[in-house]
């Protein structure tokens, strides 16, 4: 079972598959027939995550589009969390998705099913959504709901089995304000229930005279409600380039507040026909969960306790660059082909999570270790074939 951090990275790559590889042309237009092959790679905090993804989409008649996706995560390494209380590990996660879009006049209805499986975690997710164009196709309203059932296991303990489920609701409005400006408003509410913590993660607490520490398994609440609101805007510049600005506000019942800002610049390069450059900058700031503590003053000092660094106060800065090339000449059954390469550099800085390996190694006293930070590299390479 991945920790929350690697699960979030997995979500990033799945988002790439869903949003970049399988993007619909619009609420009242079926997506194009296409096949996509993605390779993704993450390297940071002594953890490597990589793997392929393949997606195929095909229209049936003029009203239905169906697709299937296969996605793999290969995870190996020893992050600072693992080194604090465990040893390096490796695991594989496979994910299968199938879905269909149905177009009726200006309404698009979509349904999908996803199964994600690893040696100690099984997840099934069912999703329904629809979108509707109105006001002369200048406005698009979208709504969606998904339900996930998850089984949590533990390596080395075949008798361990816990359950959790997640219900997600989404609402969005996209508006063409001028011929050059498009704005989108999105809201999302998520309800998580059941066993929500990681069976491998430990929280540490002071013992004896206060100079040594011991550890025990984390304990989380069994419910979590979260809400997120986002505004996105894209402005098309006179010289064919565009600027995109996003802001996302997140709040949950565990006390976490987060703000995310992102700015992108997309510029077709005149020197090479079909080549487009993308530059992006993203900042994420987050406060800690109410029950987070890097070091408890004594055992059972609080009813719930966690030391997951992704529940601490931290910030992330991301710089990225991407190149896309569109080959428009038809060949055989292919109408056109696009080649895409993206690279991102991420920097993580934690305000109240310390590197416990430094006290384990005897370099620092317990609770006086340096605050943790690290850099990571993310690479995504994908090819899309339209037919």
């Amino acid at each position: 079972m991945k920790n929350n951090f690697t699960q979030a990275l997995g979500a990033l790559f799945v988002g790439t598959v869903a949003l970049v590889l399988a993007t619909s042309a619009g609420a009242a237009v079926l997506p194009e027939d296409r096949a996509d092959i993605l390779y993704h790679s993450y390297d940071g905090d002594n953890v490597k995550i990589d793997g392929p993804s393949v997606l195929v989409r095909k229209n049936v008649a003029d009203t239905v589009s169906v697709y299937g996706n296969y996605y793999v995560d290969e995870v190996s390494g020893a992050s600072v969390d693992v080194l604090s209380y465990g040893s390096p590990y490796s695991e594989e996660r496979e994910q299968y998705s199938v879905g269909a879009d149905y177009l009726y006049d200006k309404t698009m209805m979509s349904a999908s099913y996803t199964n994600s499986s690893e040696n100690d975690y099984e997840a099934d997710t069912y999703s329904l959504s629809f979108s509707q164009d109105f006001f002369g196709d200048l406005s698009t309203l979208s709504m969606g709901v998904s339900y996930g059932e998850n089984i949590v296991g533990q390596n080395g303990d075949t008798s361990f089995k816990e359950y959790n489920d997640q219900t997600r609701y989404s609402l969005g409005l996209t508006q063409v304000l001028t011929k050059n400006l498009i704005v989108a408003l999105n809201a999302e509410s998520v309800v998580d229930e059941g066993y929500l913590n990681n069976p491998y993660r430990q929280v540490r607490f002071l013992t004896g005279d206060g100079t040594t520490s011991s550890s025990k398994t984390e304990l989380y609440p069994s419910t979590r409600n979260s809400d997120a609101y986002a505004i996105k805007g894209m402005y098309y510049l006179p010289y064919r380039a565009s600027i995109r600005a996003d802001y996302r506000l997140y709040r949950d019942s565990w006390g976490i507040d987060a703000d995310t800002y992102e700015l992108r610049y997309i510029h077709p390069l005149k020197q090479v026909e079909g080549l487009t450059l993308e530059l992006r900058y993203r900042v994420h700031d987050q406060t800690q969960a109410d029950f987070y503590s890097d070091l408890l003053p004594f055992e059972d000092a609080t009813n719930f306790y966690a030391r997951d660094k992704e529940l601490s106060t931290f910030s992330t800065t991301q710089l990225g660059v991407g190149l896309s090339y569109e080959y428009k000449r038809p060949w055989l059954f292919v109408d056109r082909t696009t080649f895409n390469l993206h690279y991102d550099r991420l920097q993580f800085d934690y305000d109240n999570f310390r590197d416990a390996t430094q006290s384990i190694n005897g370099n620092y006293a317990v609770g006086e270790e340096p605050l943790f930070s690290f850099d990571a590299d993310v690479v995504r390479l994908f090819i899309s074939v339209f037919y």
Side-chain angles (χ1 to χ4, degrees), residues 168-193:
R168 183 183 300 265
Y169 306 93
S170 62
L171 177 67
L173 176 65
T174 301
Q175 179 68 48
V176 178
L177 295 179
T178 71
K179 66 178 183 179
N180 294 329
L181 179 62
I182 299 177
V183 174
L185 302 173
N186 296 285
E188 183 179 71
S189 183
V190 180
V191 179
D192 292 288
E193 295 181 300

Side-chain angles (χ1 to χ4, degrees), residues 174-227:
T174 301
Q175 179 68 48
V176 178
L177 295 179
T178 71
K179 66 178 183 179
N180 294 329
L181 179 62
I182 299 177
V183 174
L185 302 173
N186 296 285
E188 183 179 71
S189 183
V190 180
V191 179
D192 292 288
E193 295 181 300
Y195 184 84
L196 302 182
N197 54 292
N198 188 310
Y200 305 110
R201 192 179 302 281
Q202 302 284 307
V203 62
R204 61 178 185 166
F205 55 89
L206 290 174
T207 60
D209 58 2
T211 61
T212 59
S213 66
S214 185
S215 63
K216 62 185 301 182
T217 303
E218 292 180 325
L219 179 61
Y220 291 5
S222 59
T223 60
R224 184 180 190 179
N225 300 324
S226 62
D227 298 295

Side-chain angles (χ1 to χ4, degrees), residues 102-309:
Y102 174 66
L103 177 64
Y104 178 77
D105 194 18
K106 295 184 179 183
T107 302
M108 181 78 78
M109 292 169 279
S110 303
S112 66
Y113 164 74
T114 299
N115 172 262
S116 179
S117 179
E118 51 195 287
N119 55 3
D120 57 357
Y121 199 84
E122 190 81 19
D124 294 288
T125 303
Y126 310 85
S127 301
L128 290 172
S129 65
F130 87 91
S131 59
Q132 172 73 48
D133 280 1
F134 55 97
F135 294 153
D137 296 340
L138 297 179
S139 303
T140 301
L141 176 68
S142 60
M143 300 178 65
V145 60
S146 69
Y147 175 72
E149 298 176 309
N150 309 306
I151 302 174
V152 182
Q154 185 175 2
N155 290 325
D157 184 358
T158 57
S159 65
F160 183 91
K161 182 178 288 188
E162 297 286 350
Y163 302 88
N164 65 63
D165 57 67
Q166 180 183 90
T167 306
R168 183 183 300 265
Y169 306 93
S170 62
L171 177 67
L173 176 65
T174 301
Q175 179 68 48
V176 178
L177 295 179
T178 71
K179 66 178 183 179
N180 294 329
L181 179 62
I182 299 177
V183 174
L185 302 173
N186 296 285
E188 183 179 71
S189 183
V190 180
V191 179
D192 292 288
E193 295 181 300
Y195 184 84
L196 302 182
N197 54 292
N198 188 310
Y200 305 110
R201 192 179 302 281
Q202 302 284 307
V203 62
R204 61 178 185 166
F205 55 89
L206 290 174
T207 60
D209 58 2
T211 61
T212 59
S213 66
S214 185
S215 63
K216 62 185 301 182
T217 303
E218 292 180 325
L219 179 61
Y220 291 5
S222 59
T223 60
R224 184 180 190 179
N225 300 324
S226 62
D227 298 295
Y229 307 92
I231 180 170
K232 305 178 180 182
M234 177 172 284
Y235 183 77
Y236 294 90
L237 299 169
Y239 51 93
R240 296 178 57 217
S242 62
I243 295 177
R244 172 177 161 177
D246 301 353
Y247 169 70
R248 183 175 186 267
L249 172 69
Y250 172 90
R251 301 289 184 267
D252 72 17
S253 59
W254 288 1
I256 294 178
D257 297 341
D259 299 280
T260 306
Y261 309 85
E262 184 171 354
L263 184 65
R264 299 192 184 200
Y265 176 72
I266 301 97
H267 186 98
L269 299 177
K270 297 181 179 179
Q271 295 82 354
V272 181
E273 183 179 357
L275 187 64
T276 301
L277 170 69
E278 178 181 317
L279 303 174
R280 50 189 171 271
Y281 175 71
R282 181 178 180 272
V283 175
H284 174 82
D285 293 304
Q286 174 183 302
T287 63
Q288 72 171 57
D290 294 334
F291 53 90
Y292 169 83
S293 177
D294 180 67
L295 178 63
L296 291 170
F298 54 89
E299 186 177 5
D300 298 329
T302 56
N303 292 331
F304 300 105
Y305 33 85
R307 194 177 175 267
D308 180 356
K309 64 179 182 293

Side-chain angles (χ1 to χ4, degrees), residues 30 59-64:
L30 285 175
N59 290 346
V60 181
D62 297 324
T63 58
V64 177

